[in-house]
Amino acid sequence: MKSYSYASCWGLLLAFGLALPAAATDYYVSTTGNDSHAGTSVGNAWRNASKANAFTFRPGDRLLFEGGRTFAGPLQLTATDGGVASNPVVVGSYGTGRATIDGGAGTGLIITGATGIRVNNLNFVGLGRKTGNRGGRGINIGTSLGVTVDQVETSGFQAAGIFFYNSTDVRLTNVYAHDNGGAGISSYQSNNSYVGYCRAISNPGDPTITDNQSGSGIVLSGTRATIEYCEAADNGFDMQQVNNNGPVGIWCYEADQITIQYCISHNNKSPKGDGGGFDLDGGITNSVVQYNYAYENKNYGFAAWEYGASARWTGNTFRYNISINNSGPGLLLGSGGGQGVNNCEVYNNLFYNDSYPAVVQYGGATNFNFRNNIFVGPNSASLVATVSGLTYQANDYWFTNGGFNVGGYGSLAAWANATGQEKVNGALVGLNADPRLRAPANYERLTDPTRLPNLSAFLLQAGSPVVDKGVNLQTAFGINPGTRDFYGRPIPGGSGFDIGPQEGIMVSTPLAGQASNPVDGLSELQSWPNPAQDELTVSYPSRRAQRLALRVFSLTGQLVRQQEQLLLPGPNQFTLRTAGLSPGLYLLQSSDGERVQVRRVCVARP
């Protein structure tokens, strides 16, 4: 593996156009300070956030609040404050623990028209969505560029934990937004947004909103956004909506080029409609929902819906997702207005439910294609929707209480022969067979998205009929299915593509004397690229099924990132996120219980 010295890593950063930090000043705020002080040392600190509001901060300056103490807000930063992307103004804590900004009846931090702001290691609290906070937000970001929020907790705000609008390059990482009203994290018409490693938990609803939805976990709109490695749970249970729409755990609307991936959405609720796990809603275009897990939501696991937005809902994809035992279909599709949902690819998903159908449709759809999916459900209603505009090819249908029911037909062959579904060039390509999942009745209720590759309940048992029975999407339909399955393994993993969210993973007990080790020699840790930017690809061949612990350390020995990975016999390839790490050299350590290996990795920013 090619290594980089610390000096060469900084040289690479400079080649990428990043400047080294310029000389700047630290300013301190303490409950024992005095606003007449200069604020430039702990012993010469200011006392109130209002003093900082009247000050102008330059690139590289840091505004630091005393850890473990609470300061009255709002804190405000404007166009006169700010830095550049590589040398931002930093707002954070000093000393022991996090400082808290109390937004009271209003907002905790207001950033308007600013460039180059980094907020980290702070808590924001309001009086509560029903007990005094009036339309407030923990952090409100408007018409700004290059704002980063990391390691922040926000609660008790009526409108949202964090809201940003008409802004570009906003990055939210490691945010815990809970017990807010309208949403945990929300945006409107912003560009190049990133929301990663965030938790939106128990944001019940805004009591002042009665004519529209409220109480979502994460909801974004705009162009080019990524939501990944996030958890949304227990949101929406106290929405005051009088109509039929409602909140969703993680969703987007009126947006283009959105990616929602590696997320978990579970136990979300609604007194009215929705209350689902994931949703691409009105006016969504050219977006993808992939590698996500939805379980035990009040309604659907996933939705494709058009409410009548000005932009046509088109060009979207749902792939390699798992939906299990939501109180509604695995996928809900349709419209309440507009031109319906159009031109969507749904492939290699698992929709499993012992009480509800896999796919339900309300309203119009055109060119909506389902391929290589596993559908499991009861035969009390049609397992999948069969109205016009939908195409099914190379899917597996299985019924938890026996029999067969798709569109009222009693067998797969009868349905296929009558409608032309599940045929390619006249040949039957669908299956009506038990996919032989490992233990779907005992599925894991995961809450940590980084552990999704460890999800074992849906692994295929040896002899599964869906292995190598999927259609080759690239050759048959010109669809690029990506490079990995739900578990991070490369696709295809055998002589053909599998049906369902996994590729080539088989769970079995070797026969006596049979070798269970398909890898010769010792397991070698490899990673690339070097330098990495937002993610590092890790390769680790294994002789058996086991767990691999990955840890990333700074050169001073501080643990900065960790991840546990389920290894299966054979080659394993998966992703380790490096987004949020400061540029420089790190040590990547792996341990499989028998052998510890260490590699040097360099992190840089474009």
Side-chain angles (χ1 to χ4, degrees), residues 392-397 412 416 421-424 427-433 469 499:
Y392 295 92
Q393 293 169 314
N395 302 288
D396 181 37
Y397 305 81
L412 178 64
Q421 298 283 17
E422 287 301 341
K423 289 189 174 183
V424 175
L428 182 67
V429 292
L431 298 177
N432 174 206
K469 293 300 172 51
I499 297 175

Side-chain angles (χ1 to χ4, degrees), residues 1-5 9 12 527-533 535-536 584-586 599-604:
M1 177 178 181
K2 192 173 182 180
S3 63
Y4 286 75
S5 69
C9 191
L12 181 62
S527 64
W528 66 88
N530 194 7
Q533 294 181 16
E535 63 182 33
L536 190 71
L585 277 177
Y586 294 87
R599 296 288 185 270
R600 286 190 299 173
V601 296
C602 180
V603 174

Side-chain angles (χ1 to χ4, degrees), residues 5-14 16-21 85-88 118 531-534 553-555 560 578-586 601-606:
S5 69
Y6 194 77
S8 66
C9 191
W10 275 116
L12 181 62
L13 297 181
L14 292 173
F16 281 161
L18 294 180
L20 295 176
S86 60
N87 196 18
R118 179 177 177 84
Q533 294 181 16
D534 288 340
F553 295 91
S554 69
L555 293 183
V560 295
T578 53
L581 296 181
S582 299
L585 277 177
Y586 294 87
V601 296
C602 180
V603 174
R605 292 286 170 258

Side-chain angles (χ1 to χ4, degrees), residues 463-485:
S464 170
V466 304
V467 174
D468 294 340
K469 293 300 172 51
V471 65
N472 187 321
L473 298 173
Q474 184 69 64
T475 58
F477 306 105
I479 297 170
N480 181 357
T483 60
R484 53 159 287 172
D485 70 357

Side-chain angles (χ1 to χ4, degrees), residues 253-256 280-285 305-314 316:
Y253 70 100
E254 297 182 17
D256 179 59
L280 293 183
D281 216 294
I284 296 290
T285 57
W305 193 260
E306 176 54 70
Y307 56 69
S310 57
R312 189 185 192 202
W313 196 105
T314 187
N316 302 310

Side-chain angles (χ1 to χ4, degrees), residues 376-397:
V376 179
N379 70 3
S380 54
S382 180
L383 184 59
V384 297
T386 58
V387 295
S388 63
L390 311 183
T391 297
Y392 295 92
Q393 293 169 314
N395 302 288
D396 181 37
Y397 305 81

